[in-house]
Amino acid sequence: MAGSGVYVCADHLFKVLVIGDVLVGKSSVVLRYVRKTFKENYKSTIGVDFALKTIQWDARTVVRLQLWDIAGQEQTRNMSRVFYKGARGALVVFDVTKLATLESAAQWKQDLDSKVSRDSGEPIPTLLLANKCDLMEQSERDRMAPSLDEFCKDNGFTGWFETSAKGGVNIEEAMTFLIQEMMKTMSSENQDERSKGDVDLGGRADQSIVARCC
Ligand SMILES: Nc1nc2c(ncn2[C@@H]2O[C@H](COP(=O)(O)OP(=O)(O)OP(=O)(O)O)[C@@H](O)[C@H]2O)c(=O)[nH]1
């Protein structure tokens, strides 16, 4: 225990949703992040796919990400309340070559906010991923940037990254940023708990903070 000469280790489990229209590259983003690979041939997700990634965040902290890659098909939206339960963060992916998928990203975000929130009632940290940036000229990307800043402000996104699952561009960076944001929300929630004099080290399954000696 801290203060008694033995360090406390933290082990955080975060459920992260990956949502957005069909074909925008959700599964590819997950595949790139978890397995560092990319597949050209498309295989549609049915319902939801899961992936787990464990990160040694710092010397005393382990972060486990449970990634829920949710099919972009319309049918899945009716089931999303069940899928979204307990999520601590989200990625909303769109395809930079298909403007309609950006318009949909606003709807995905609204739907997300209506179905899941932090204990405080605030939205969970959510990043917008402008994926397939390898298919766009740098000049076009530069032109798009200010409108994405505006889009994020208007729709309550925590931030955005241009990514390429194909080229491995910014996937790691986006995930690291999301983890930082989830850690921040968690420490503010723990602070609230502590100030109530009630520290629950067991926590819910999706947000367990396990104190261990190491
Ligand atoms: N050029 C390029 N192609 C990509 C990129 N990401 C994904 N793709 C391709 O886009 C297609 C769809 O990718 P998926 O990852 O299956 O898309 P998804 O959003 O999971 O699709 P659903 O499962 O139907 O919801 C595949 O052919 C991928 O190879 C990218 O960054 N660049």
Side-chain angles (χ1 to χ4, degrees):
M1 301 284 286
S4 62
V6 185
Y7 292 110
V8 171
C9 283
D11 186 332
H12 305 299
L13 175 64
F14 294 122
K15 173 176 173 179
V16 173
L17 303 171
V18 187
I19 53 179
D21 276 359
V22 279
L23 282 162
V24 293
K26 301 177 295 295
S27 304
S28 303
V29 165
V30 172
L31 191 67
R32 168 61 71 188
Y33 183 56
V34 175
R35 300 234 192 101
K36 300 192 188 326
T37 55
F38 176 75
K39 288 184 183 156
E40 284 286 353
N41 47 347
Y42 170 61
K43 190 170 148 277
S44 102
T45 304
I46 311 289
V48 58
D49 275 348
F50 303 97
L52 200 67
K53 171 127 171 159
T54 303
I55 300 139
Q56 186 69 50
W57 185 250
D58 62 30
R60 293 192 283 149
T61 314
V62 169
V63 170
R64 293 176 210 281
L65 296 181
Q66 197 184 68
L67 298 156
W68 287 51
D69 170 16
I70 296 177
Q73 289 149 349
E74 195 61 41
Q75 306 92 286
T76 322
R77 294 208 194 178
N78 303 325
M79 296 155 77
S80 56
R81 190 176 293 277
V82 182
F83 292 156
Y84 290 5
K85 195 166 184 287
R88 306 285 294 173
L91 301 173
V92 180
V93 185
F94 79 98
D95 176 343
V96 290
T97 68
K98 294 197 177 75
L99 197 60
T101 65
L102 175 60
E103 286 156 18
S104 294
Q107 289 163 18
W108 281 100
K109 176 68 164 67
Q110 270 174 23
D111 188 51
L112 174 73
D113 290 346
S114 71
K115 290 175 178 157
V116 67
S117 61
R118 292 168 51 191
D119 291 347
S120 62
E122 289 165 88
I124 58 171
T126 304
L127 296 184
L128 179 71
L129 299 192
N131 193 41
K132 307 196 187 181
C133 71
D134 55 289
L135 298 178
M136 218 180 188
E137 295 293 331
Q138 183 62 51
S139 57
E140 282 180 89
R141 280 151 53 185
D142 292 344
R143 267 202 302 278
M144 187 180 68
S147 60
L148 287 186
D149 288 339
E150 196 68 21
F151 183 89
C152 284
K153 221 166 78 193
D154 292 348
N155 292 284
F157 283 93
T158 314
W160 66 273
F161 282 80
E162 66 175 23
T163 58
S164 167
K166 184 173 183 174
V169 178
N170 275 342
I171 305 287
E172 193 75 38
E173 289 80 354
M175 290 309 301
T176 302
F177 184 82
L178 184 66
I179 295 168
Q180 279 165 352
E181 293 300 310
M182 292 190 296
M183 299 278 256
K184 272 194 229 162
T185 60
M186 201 192 56
S187 50
S188 70
E189 278 160 16
N190 284 351
Q191 196 66 46
D192 291 347
E193 278 301 303
R194 255 182 244 119
S195 62
K196 281 191 246 158
D198 174 19
V199 183
D200 177 5
L201 290 176
R204 294 196 317 244
D206 55 278
Q207 60 174 69
S208 61
I209 304 153
V210 183
R212 295 200 244 110
C213 295
C214 55

